[in-house]
Amino acid sequence: MTNEKPELKYDNTVEGIFLQRNNRFTAEVMIGNVREAVHVKNTGRLKDLLVPNAKVILQRNSNPNRTTGYDLISVYKSELEWVNIDSLAPNVLVKQYLEPLYDVVKPEHKYGDSRFDFYMEKGEEKYLMEVKGCTLAENPKKGIGYFPDAPTERGVKHLNELINAAREGYHCTIAFVIQMNGIHYVFPNDAIQPEFGQALVRAAKAGVEIVYHTCRVEADSIRITGTMGDTSRYMKA
C-alpha cells in the first residue's frame, strides 16, 4: 500500500477574472485584456463562488473541436482560499485512493437502474461506492460543507439503490470529496432538497457507510489529506 496522498495537478493553467455565467456550461472571464467564453466544469449553481470579479484559474484546452479554449477549474474565496469546482476531480482522486486497497476497482458500474461511480472487490466481498463533490460552505468558520447546492433527484435515486444493494449483501458507501480548504464535515442541504437528507438517514440505517474526504486545494491542484466516517450521526436521526 502506498503512503502517497491522492492528488490531481493541472498543467497549462492561467489566472483570470470571472465576469458572468452564461448558462450551466459556459461563463465569461477576462484573461489579461481579453474577454473569453470558457467551459465551466460543474453544472451546480455555485452562486457563492462564481461572483463578479472573483479570481479564477483556467486550464488551456488544445482540442481543436472545442468551442471554448479554456476550462474553469478553481475559484478564489477569501474564507476558503482556493475552491476546486472540477466535477471530474472527485472521481479521479477517489480512484487513486481505492486502487491500493482493493483487488478490483471498476469505475462506472451498472447496478439496478443506476450506474455507480465504483464497484470494488476484496477477496469474496463486493462493494459499491457513489462519490459526490462538495463545493458549498455557508459558514466556513464552522468547518461544515453542504450537499447538494442544487436539487438532485439523481442523488436521491443513488441512495435508494445503495440501500437495496446493502440489503443484498454489498458493502455500500457514499463518499463526499470536500473540494474546499478547512471544511471537515458535509451536512445535507435541507433548504435545497430535504429528500436527500431523508434518504441519507435511511441509507445509514440500512448499513450504507458515509465517508468524507478532506482536501488541500491550491490554485492548480487538489489533494486528499484525510478520510473519516460519519455514519453513526445519521443512525441517531
Side-chain angles (χ1 to χ4, degrees), residues 184-216:
H184 307 289
Y185 304 93
V186 179
F187 289 179
N189 191 351
D190 291 334
I192 290 291
Q193 190 176 36
E195 295 84 0
F196 183 83
Q198 293 161 7
L200 201 59
V201 171
R202 292 197 305 272
K205 291 181 177 180
V208 177
E209 187 179 10
I210 299 166
V211 168
Y212 309 141
H213 294 290
T214 56
C215 292
R216 177 62 195 173

Short mmCIF file of all heavy atoms in Angstrom, two decimals, residues 184-216:
data_model
loop_
_atom_site.label_atom_id
_atom_site.label_comp_id
_atom_site.label_asym_id
_atom_site.label_seq_id
_atom_site.Cartn_x
_atom_site.Cartn_y
_atom_site.Cartn_z
N HIS A 184 -14.55 20.07 7.10
CA HIS A 184 -14.31 18.70 7.57
C HIS A 184 -15.54 17.81 7.57
O HIS A 184 -15.42 16.59 7.67
CB HIS A 184 -13.74 18.75 8.99
CG HIS A 184 -12.54 19.63 9.12
ND1 HIS A 184 -11.31 19.31 8.59
CD2 HIS A 184 -12.38 20.86 9.69
CE1 HIS A 184 -10.45 20.27 8.85
NE2 HIS A 184 -11.07 21.23 9.51
N TYR A 185 -16.72 18.40 7.48
CA TYR A 185 -17.97 17.65 7.52
C TYR A 185 -18.86 18.11 6.37
O TYR A 185 -18.77 19.24 5.91
CB TYR A 185 -18.72 17.86 8.83
CG TYR A 185 -17.92 17.53 10.06
CD1 TYR A 185 -17.19 18.52 10.73
CD2 TYR A 185 -17.88 16.24 10.57
CE1 TYR A 185 -16.44 18.22 11.86
CE2 TYR A 185 -17.14 15.93 11.70
CZ TYR A 185 -16.42 16.93 12.34
OH TYR A 185 -15.69 16.63 13.46
N VAL A 186 -19.76 17.22 5.96
CA VAL A 186 -20.76 17.58 4.95
C VAL A 186 -22.13 17.25 5.51
O VAL A 186 -22.40 16.10 5.88
CB VAL A 186 -20.54 16.82 3.63
CG1 VAL A 186 -21.62 17.20 2.61
CG2 VAL A 186 -19.16 17.11 3.06
N PHE A 187 -22.99 18.26 5.59
CA PHE A 187 -24.35 18.07 6.05
C PHE A 187 -25.29 18.14 4.85
O PHE A 187 -25.02 18.86 3.88
CB PHE A 187 -24.75 19.15 7.05
CG PHE A 187 -24.09 19.03 8.40
CD1 PHE A 187 -24.36 19.96 9.39
CD2 PHE A 187 -23.22 17.99 8.70
CE1 PHE A 187 -23.77 19.86 10.64
CE2 PHE A 187 -22.61 17.89 9.94
CZ PHE A 187 -22.90 18.83 10.91
N PRO A 188 -26.42 17.42 4.91
CA PRO A 188 -27.39 17.53 3.82
C PRO A 188 -28.01 18.93 3.79
O PRO A 188 -28.31 19.50 4.84
CB PRO A 188 -28.44 16.46 4.16
CG PRO A 188 -28.27 16.18 5.61
CD PRO A 188 -26.83 16.44 5.93
N ASN A 189 -28.16 19.46 2.60
CA ASN A 189 -28.68 20.81 2.42
C ASN A 189 -30.21 20.73 2.34
O ASN A 189 -30.80 20.75 1.26
CB ASN A 189 -28.09 21.43 1.15
CG ASN A 189 -28.37 22.91 1.06
OD1 ASN A 189 -29.14 23.46 1.84
ND2 ASN A 189 -27.76 23.57 0.09
N ASP A 190 -30.83 20.69 3.51
CA ASP A 190 -32.28 20.52 3.58
C ASP A 190 -33.04 21.70 3.00
O ASP A 190 -34.19 21.56 2.58
CB ASP A 190 -32.73 20.27 5.02
CG ASP A 190 -32.25 18.92 5.54
OD1 ASP A 190 -32.04 18.01 4.71
OD2 ASP A 190 -32.09 18.77 6.76
N ALA A 191 -32.42 22.87 2.98
CA ALA A 191 -33.08 24.04 2.42
C ALA A 191 -33.26 23.90 0.91
O ALA A 191 -34.19 24.47 0.33
CB ALA A 191 -32.28 25.30 2.72
N ILE A 192 -32.38 23.16 0.27
CA ILE A 192 -32.45 22.95 -1.17
C ILE A 192 -33.25 21.70 -1.51
O ILE A 192 -34.10 21.70 -2.41
CB ILE A 192 -31.03 22.85 -1.78
CG1 ILE A 192 -30.35 24.22 -1.74
CG2 ILE A 192 -31.07 22.31 -3.20
CD1 ILE A 192 -30.96 25.24 -2.68
N GLN A 193 -32.97 20.60 -0.78
CA GLN A 193 -33.66 19.35 -1.08
C GLN A 193 -33.71 18.46 0.16
O GLN A 193 -32.82 17.65 0.40
CB GLN A 193 -32.98 18.60 -2.23
CG GLN A 193 -33.81 17.42 -2.72
CD GLN A 193 -33.18 16.76 -3.91
OE1 GLN A 193 -31.96 16.66 -4.02
NE2 GLN A 193 -34.01 16.29 -4.83
N PRO A 194 -34.77 18.59 0.95
CA PRO A 194 -34.88 17.77 2.17
C PRO A 194 -34.92 16.27 1.88
O PRO A 194 -34.51 15.47 2.72
CB PRO A 194 -36.19 18.25 2.80
CG PRO A 194 -36.93 18.93 1.70
CD PRO A 194 -35.90 19.50 0.78
N GLU A 195 -35.35 15.89 0.67
CA GLU A 195 -35.44 14.47 0.34
C GLU A 195 -34.07 13.80 0.35
O GLU A 195 -33.95 12.62 0.68
CB GLU A 195 -36.09 14.28 -1.04
CG GLU A 195 -37.53 14.72 -1.13
CD GLU A 195 -37.68 16.21 -1.39
OE1 GLU A 195 -36.64 16.90 -1.51
OE2 GLU A 195 -38.82 16.68 -1.49
N PHE A 196 -33.02 14.56 0.00
CA PHE A 196 -31.68 13.96 0.01
C PHE A 196 -31.26 13.63 1.44
O PHE A 196 -30.73 12.54 1.70
CB PHE A 196 -30.66 14.91 -0.63
CG PHE A 196 -29.28 14.32 -0.71
CD1 PHE A 196 -28.93 13.47 -1.74
CD2 PHE A 196 -28.33 14.59 0.27
CE1 PHE A 196 -27.66 12.90 -1.81
CE2 PHE A 196 -27.06 14.03 0.21
CZ PHE A 196 -26.73 13.18 -0.83
N GLY A 197 -31.48 14.56 2.38
CA GLY A 197 -31.15 14.29 3.78
C GLY A 197 -31.95 13.13 4.35
O GLY A 197 -31.41 12.30 5.10
N GLN A 198 -33.21 13.05 3.99
CA GLN A 198 -34.04 11.94 4.46
C GLN A 198 -33.53 10.61 3.91
O GLN A 198 -33.47 9.61 4.63
CB GLN A 198 -35.49 12.18 4.03
CG GLN A 198 -36.14 13.38 4.70
CD GLN A 198 -37.36 13.89 3.95
OE1 GLN A 198 -37.82 13.27 2.97
NE2 GLN A 198 -37.91 15.02 4.38
N ALA A 199 -33.13 10.61 2.65
CA ALA A 199 -32.58 9.39 2.05
C ALA A 199 -31.25 9.02 2.67
O ALA A 199 -30.93 7.84 2.83
CB ALA A 199 -32.43 9.58 0.54
N LEU A 200 -30.45 10.02 3.07
CA LEU A 200 -29.16 9.76 3.70
C LEU A 200 -29.36 9.07 5.05
O LEU A 200 -28.62 8.14 5.41
CB LEU A 200 -28.40 11.07 3.87
CG LEU A 200 -26.88 11.00 4.03
CD1 LEU A 200 -26.23 10.34 2.83
CD2 LEU A 200 -26.31 12.40 4.24
N VAL A 201 -30.36 9.49 5.80
CA VAL A 201 -30.67 8.85 7.08
C VAL A 201 -31.10 7.40 6.85
O VAL A 201 -30.64 6.47 7.54
CB VAL A 201 -31.76 9.63 7.83
CG1 VAL A 201 -32.26 8.84 9.04
CG2 VAL A 201 -31.24 10.99 8.26
N ARG A 202 -31.98 7.18 5.89
CA ARG A 202 -32.43 5.82 5.59
C ARG A 202 -31.25 4.94 5.17
O ARG A 202 -31.17 3.77 5.55
CB ARG A 202 -33.49 5.83 4.49
CG ARG A 202 -34.81 6.47 4.87
CD ARG A 202 -35.90 6.07 3.88
NE ARG A 202 -35.57 6.38 2.50
CZ ARG A 202 -35.80 7.54 1.90
NH1 ARG A 202 -36.38 8.51 2.60
NH2 ARG A 202 -35.47 7.73 0.65
N ALA A 203 -30.34 5.53 4.38
CA ALA A 203 -29.19 4.77 3.91
C ALA A 203 -28.29 4.35 5.06
O ALA A 203 -27.85 3.20 5.14
CB ALA A 203 -28.40 5.60 2.90
N ALA A 204 -28.02 5.27 5.97
CA ALA A 204 -27.16 4.95 7.12
C ALA A 204 -27.78 3.83 7.95
O ALA A 204 -27.09 2.90 8.39
CB ALA A 204 -26.95 6.19 7.98
N LYS A 205 -29.08 3.90 8.16
CA LYS A 205 -29.76 2.88 8.96
C LYS A 205 -29.81 1.53 8.25
O LYS A 205 -29.97 0.50 8.90
CB LYS A 205 -31.16 3.37 9.32
CG LYS A 205 -31.13 4.55 10.30
CD LYS A 205 -32.53 5.02 10.68
CE LYS A 205 -32.44 6.14 11.71
NZ LYS A 205 -33.77 6.65 12.12
N ALA A 206 -29.66 1.56 6.93
CA ALA A 206 -29.64 0.31 6.16
C ALA A 206 -28.24 -0.27 6.03
O ALA A 206 -28.05 -1.32 5.42
CB ALA A 206 -30.23 0.55 4.77
N GLY A 207 -27.24 0.45 6.58
CA GLY A 207 -25.88 -0.06 6.56
C GLY A 207 -24.96 0.58 5.56
O GLY A 207 -23.81 0.15 5.38
N VAL A 208 -25.43 1.63 4.87
CA VAL A 208 -24.57 2.34 3.91
C VAL A 208 -23.61 3.24 4.69
O VAL A 208 -24.04 4.03 5.55
CB VAL A 208 -25.41 3.19 2.94
CG1 VAL A 208 -24.50 3.99 2.00
CG2 VAL A 208 -26.35 2.29 2.14
N GLU A 209 -22.33 3.12 4.41
CA GLU A 209 -21.32 3.92 5.09
C GLU A 209 -21.25 5.32 4.49
O GLU A 209 -21.33 5.49 3.27
CB GLU A 209 -19.96 3.25 4.99
CG GLU A 209 -18.87 3.94 5.81
CD GLU A 209 -17.53 3.25 5.71
OE1 GLU A 209 -17.37 2.35 4.87
OE2 GLU A 209 -16.62 3.63 6.48
N ILE A 210 -21.10 6.34 5.34
CA ILE A 210 -20.97 7.73 4.91
C ILE A 210 -19.56 8.19 5.24
O ILE A 210 -19.13 8.12 6.40
CB ILE A 210 -22.02 8.62 5.60
CG1 ILE A 210 -23.42 8.14 5.22
CG2 ILE A 210 -21.82 10.09 5.20
CD1 ILE A 210 -24.52 8.73 6.08
N VAL A 211 -18.84 8.65 4.22
CA VAL A 211 -17.42 8.96 4.36
C VAL A 211 -17.15 10.36 3.82
O VAL A 211 -17.73 10.78 2.82
CB VAL A 211 -16.55 7.92 3.60
CG1 VAL A 211 -15.11 8.38 3.48
CG2 VAL A 211 -16.62 6.58 4.29
N TYR A 212 -16.23 11.09 4.48
CA TYR A 212 -15.77 12.39 4.00
C TYR A 212 -14.29 12.30 3.67
O TYR A 212 -13.49 11.80 4.47
CB TYR A 212 -15.95 13.49 5.06
CG TYR A 212 -17.31 13.57 5.67
CD1 TYR A 212 -17.45 13.83 7.04
CD2 TYR A 212 -18.47 13.41 4.92
CE1 TYR A 212 -18.70 13.93 7.62
CE2 TYR A 212 -19.72 13.51 5.49
CZ TYR A 212 -19.83 13.76 6.85
OH TYR A 212 -21.06 13.85 7.42
N HIS A 213 -13.91 12.84 2.52
CA HIS A 213 -12.51 13.01 2.18
C HIS A 213 -12.19 14.51 2.24
O HIS A 213 -12.70 15.29 1.43
CB HIS A 213 -12.22 12.50 0.76
CG HIS A 213 -12.38 11.02 0.60
ND1 HIS A 213 -11.52 10.11 1.17
CD2 HIS A 213 -13.31 10.29 -0.07
CE1 HIS A 213 -11.90 8.88 0.86
NE2 HIS A 213 -12.98 8.97 0.11
N THR A 214 -11.38 14.91 3.22
CA THR A 214 -10.96 16.30 3.29
C THR A 214 -9.81 16.53 2.32
O THR A 214 -9.04 15.61 2.01
CB THR A 214 -10.52 16.67 4.72
OG1 THR A 214 -9.48 15.77 5.13
CG2 THR A 214 -11.68 16.57 5.69
N CYS A 215 -9.68 17.76 1.85
CA CYS A 215 -8.71 18.06 0.80
C CYS A 215 -7.93 19.34 1.07
O CYS A 215 -8.40 20.23 1.79
CB CYS A 215 -9.41 18.21 -0.56
SG CYS A 215 -10.13 16.68 -1.19
N ARG A 216 -6.75 19.40 0.47
CA ARG A 216 -6.00 20.63 0.38
C ARG A 216 -6.08 21.09 -1.07
O ARG A 216 -5.69 20.36 -1.98
CB ARG A 216 -4.54 20.44 0.80
CG ARG A 216 -3.69 21.71 0.65
CD ARG A 216 -4.19 22.83 1.54
NE ARG A 216 -3.63 24.13 1.15
CZ ARG A 216 -4.00 25.29 1.67
NH1 ARG A 216 -4.96 25.32 2.60
NH2 ARG A 216 -3.47 26.42 1.29
#
